[in-house]
Amino acid sequence: VSIPLDDRLRALALAAPTAGIFSDFDGCLAPIVPDPEAAMPLPGAAELLARLARSFAVVAVVSGRPVSFLAGHLDAAGVRLVGLYGLEEQIGGAPRIAPAAEEARAAIRRAHDRLVEAVAVHPGVYVEDKALSVAVHFRRAPDPDEAMRWGDELVTGVAEAEGLTVQRGRLVCEVRPPGGGDKGHAVARLMLEAGITHGLVAGDDAGDIAAFDAVAGLDCLRVAVTSSESPRELLDRADLTVAGPEGYLALLSGLADATDP
Ligand SMILES: [Mg+2]
């Protein structure tokens, strides 16, 4: 299913050779599911991104997931995979790891061990080891919002003790290296490397606000992929909204139809 393009999307399609498409993964390409490990992109998402990569200067997936997870779920030729909010990127076969992430490896290990021990008392809360960062998930707790309030304090304390930073998302808190950047830095770097100043940035979550802000002064469309959990701050910054991953894929499909060589 493709959506009809409005003027802004038609202009983007015309500018494809000098424009980028930057998509978040969870909530944009893949529906949110209770078990994050079970998340899968919608059927056809990888093929669609690969089609767009033949026309656009840059097509990238910028996610909080490890690059290895993205690579295992999106076999899309020509699409750049940026993981852990920019801490790692798949270049050819091997991941490129940011210096800030290498320097913080030992502190991340210690934070991981402390968090695993601390969350044991709270049912349904679990720790995801992302190697270069640590995520604490609250979605499977009996009362996820209560668990997140409880866990936020815990995670913040551990991060401060280890000189690390905290990134919050949908029922998840993540401990990250200081100076490791965010999705905004990642998108800005990709655009700078490609020498482009316009494109489309799509996100659904608090972690995507930085990416929206990074392109605020540029000729970029900010697409909020909405759900019942959409943060107000994201919606306020959006140039257009689409309903869920299905809506976003329909938008991408319209763009691909308009740009296919
Ligand atoms: Mg997301």
Side-chain angles (χ1 to χ4, degrees):
V1 185
S2 305
I3 60 160
L5 302 187
D6 67 10
D7 289 348
R8 295 168 300 180
L9 289 165
R10 264 198 301 277
L12 178 63
L14 283 172
T18 58
I21 294 182
F22 306 93
S23 306
D24 173 37
F25 181 79
D26 292 281
C28 287
L29 299 172
I32 300 290
V33 289
D35 175 8
E37 289 308 303
M40 293 287 286
L42 285 179
E47 293 80 356
L48 202 45
L49 292 175
R51 263 177 81 195
L52 290 162
R54 293 200 290 271
S55 304
F56 281 83
V58 183
V59 175
V61 176
V62 182
S63 170
R65 297 274 195 177
V67 143
S68 57
F69 180 93
L70 299 174
H73 287 72
L74 284 168
D75 181 16
V79 176
R80 297 178 72 156
L81 303 177
V82 179
L84 303 182
Y85 304 90
L87 289 183
E88 55 177 5
E89 178 176 353
Q90 178 116 319
I91 301 282
R96 175 169 82 180
I97 295 170
E102 290 291 5
E103 284 161 22
R105 270 186 195 273
I108 289 288
R109 283 302 94 214
R110 287 192 299 271
H112 171 268
D113 295 347
R114 289 177 65 171
L115 289 168
V116 166
E117 201 181 318
V119 305
V121 301
H122 204 300
V125 177
Y126 74 101
V127 174
E128 180 189 4
D129 186 356
K130 296 179 161 187
L132 303 176
S133 67
V134 189
V136 183
H137 294 271
F138 306 102
R139 189 170 294 276
R140 286 195 291 203
D143 181 345
D145 292 319
E146 179 277 326
M148 174 107 177
R149 282 192 296 277
W150 169 82
D152 196 310
E153 199 173 322
L154 165 74
V155 169
T156 303
V158 170
E160 275 174 11
E162 294 292 349
L164 301 165
T165 61
V166 180
Q167 168 83 51
R168 291 167 186 83
R170 281 160 82 162
L171 298 174
V172 60
C173 280
E174 185 157 337
V175 179
R176 297 171 44 75
D182 54 29
K183 287 189 181 181
H185 293 107
V187 168
R189 179 174 59 75
L190 290 171
M191 292 185 80
L192 191 67
E193 281 177 14
I196 60 175
T197 55
H198 48 229
L200 178 156
V201 178
D204 70 303
D205 195 1
D208 302 306
I209 293 170
F212 277 22
D213 285 344
V215 301
L218 305 175
D219 186 11
C220 276
L221 274 178
R222 292 163 294 182
V223 179
V225 182
T226 61
S227 71
S228 59
E229 299 171 13
S230 302
R232 187 78 251 165
E233 300 89 330
L234 187 83
L235 298 176
D236 286 347
R237 289 164 168 80
D239 299 305
L240 65 99
T241 60
V242 292
E246 290 82 3
Y248 183 52
L249 252 60
L251 184 159
L252 291 182
S253 180
L255 269 181
D257 290 346
T259 55
D260 252 344

CSV table of all heavy atoms in Angstrom, one decimal, residues 122-125 138-147:
chain,number,residue,atom,x,y,z
A,122,HIS,N,12.7,-7.1,41.6
A,122,HIS,CA,11.5,-6.6,41.0
A,122,HIS,C,11.0,-7.5,39.9
A,122,HIS,O,11.7,-7.6,38.9
A,122,HIS,CB,11.8,-5.2,40.5
A,122,HIS,CG,10.5,-4.4,40.4
A,122,HIS,ND1,9.5,-4.8,39.6
A,122,HIS,CD2,10.1,-3.2,41.0
A,122,HIS,CE1,8.5,-3.9,39.7
A,122,HIS,NE2,8.9,-2.9,40.6
A,123,PRO,N,9.9,-8.1,40.1
A,123,PRO,CA,9.4,-9.1,39.1
A,123,PRO,C,9.2,-8.4,37.7
A,123,PRO,O,8.7,-7.3,37.6
A,123,PRO,CB,8.1,-9.6,39.6
A,123,PRO,CG,7.7,-8.8,40.8
A,123,PRO,CD,9.0,-8.1,41.2
A,124,GLY,N,9.6,-9.1,36.6
A,124,GLY,CA,9.3,-8.6,35.3
A,124,GLY,C,10.3,-7.6,34.8
A,124,GLY,O,10.3,-7.3,33.6
A,125,VAL,N,11.1,-7.0,35.6
A,125,VAL,CA,12.2,-6.1,35.2
A,125,VAL,C,13.4,-6.9,34.8
A,125,VAL,O,13.8,-7.8,35.5
A,125,VAL,CB,12.5,-5.1,36.3
A,125,VAL,CG1,13.6,-4.1,35.8
A,125,VAL,CG2,11.3,-4.3,36.7
A,138,PHE,N,11.1,-2.4,31.4
A,138,PHE,CA,10.1,-2.5,32.4
A,138,PHE,C,8.7,-3.0,31.8
A,138,PHE,O,7.8,-3.1,32.5
A,138,PHE,CB,9.9,-1.1,33.0
A,138,PHE,CG,11.2,-0.5,33.5
A,138,PHE,CD1,11.9,0.4,32.8
A,138,PHE,CD2,11.7,-1.0,34.7
A,138,PHE,CE1,13.1,0.9,33.3
A,138,PHE,CE2,12.8,-0.5,35.3
A,138,PHE,CZ,13.6,0.5,34.6
A,139,ARG,N,8.7,-3.2,30.5
A,139,ARG,CA,7.5,-3.6,29.8
A,139,ARG,C,6.8,-4.8,30.3
A,139,ARG,O,5.6,-5.0,30.2
A,139,ARG,CB,7.7,-3.7,28.3
A,139,ARG,CG,6.5,-3.8,27.4
A,139,ARG,CD,6.8,-3.6,25.9
A,139,ARG,NE,7.3,-2.3,25.6
A,139,ARG,CZ,6.5,-1.3,25.4
A,139,ARG,NH1,5.2,-1.4,25.3
A,139,ARG,NH2,7.0,-0.1,25.1
A,140,ARG,N,7.6,-5.8,30.8
A,140,ARG,CA,7.0,-7.0,31.2
A,140,ARG,C,6.7,-7.1,32.7
A,140,ARG,O,6.3,-8.1,33.3
A,140,ARG,CB,8.0,-8.2,30.9
A,140,ARG,CG,7.9,-8.5,29.4
A,140,ARG,CD,8.6,-9.8,29.0
A,140,ARG,NE,10.0,-9.8,29.3
A,140,ARG,CZ,10.9,-10.6,28.7
A,140,ARG,NH1,10.5,-11.5,27.9
A,140,ARG,NH2,12.2,-10.5,28.9
A,141,ALA,N,6.9,-5.9,33.4
A,141,ALA,CA,6.5,-5.9,34.9
A,141,ALA,C,5.0,-5.8,35.0
A,141,ALA,O,4.3,-5.4,34.1
A,141,ALA,CB,7.2,-4.7,35.5
A,142,PRO,N,4.5,-6.3,36.1
A,142,PRO,CA,3.0,-6.3,36.3
A,142,PRO,C,2.5,-4.9,36.2
A,142,PRO,O,1.4,-4.7,35.6
A,142,PRO,CB,2.9,-6.8,37.8
A,142,PRO,CG,4.1,-7.6,38.0
A,142,PRO,CD,5.2,-7.0,37.2
A,143,ASP,N,3.1,-3.9,36.7
A,143,ASP,CA,2.7,-2.5,36.5
A,143,ASP,C,4.0,-1.7,35.9
A,143,ASP,O,4.8,-1.2,36.6
A,143,ASP,CB,2.4,-1.8,37.9
A,143,ASP,CG,1.9,-0.4,37.7
A,143,ASP,OD1,2.2,0.2,36.6
A,143,ASP,OD2,1.3,0.2,38.7
A,144,PRO,N,4.0,-1.7,34.6
A,144,PRO,CA,5.2,-1.2,33.9
A,144,PRO,C,5.6,0.3,34.3
A,144,PRO,O,6.7,0.6,34.5
A,144,PRO,CB,4.9,-1.3,32.4
A,144,PRO,CG,3.9,-2.4,32.3
A,144,PRO,CD,3.1,-2.2,33.6
A,145,ASP,N,4.6,1.1,34.4
A,145,ASP,CA,4.8,2.5,34.8
A,145,ASP,C,5.4,2.7,36.2
A,145,ASP,O,6.4,3.4,36.4
A,145,ASP,CB,3.6,3.4,34.6
A,145,ASP,CG,3.1,3.5,33.2
A,145,ASP,OD1,4.0,3.7,32.3
A,145,ASP,OD2,1.9,3.4,32.9
A,146,GLU,N,4.9,1.9,37.1
A,146,GLU,CA,5.4,1.9,38.5
A,146,GLU,C,6.8,1.4,38.4
A,146,GLU,O,7.7,1.9,39.1
A,146,GLU,CB,4.5,1.0,39.4
A,146,GLU,CG,5.0,0.9,40.8
A,146,GLU,CD,6.1,-0.2,41.0
A,146,GLU,OE1,6.1,-1.2,40.3
A,146,GLU,OE2,6.9,0.1,41.9
A,147,ALA,N,7.1,0.3,37.7
A,147,ALA,CA,8.4,-0.3,37.6
A,147,ALA,C,9.4,0.7,37.0
A,147,ALA,O,10.5,0.8,37.5
A,147,ALA,CB,8.4,-1.6,36.7
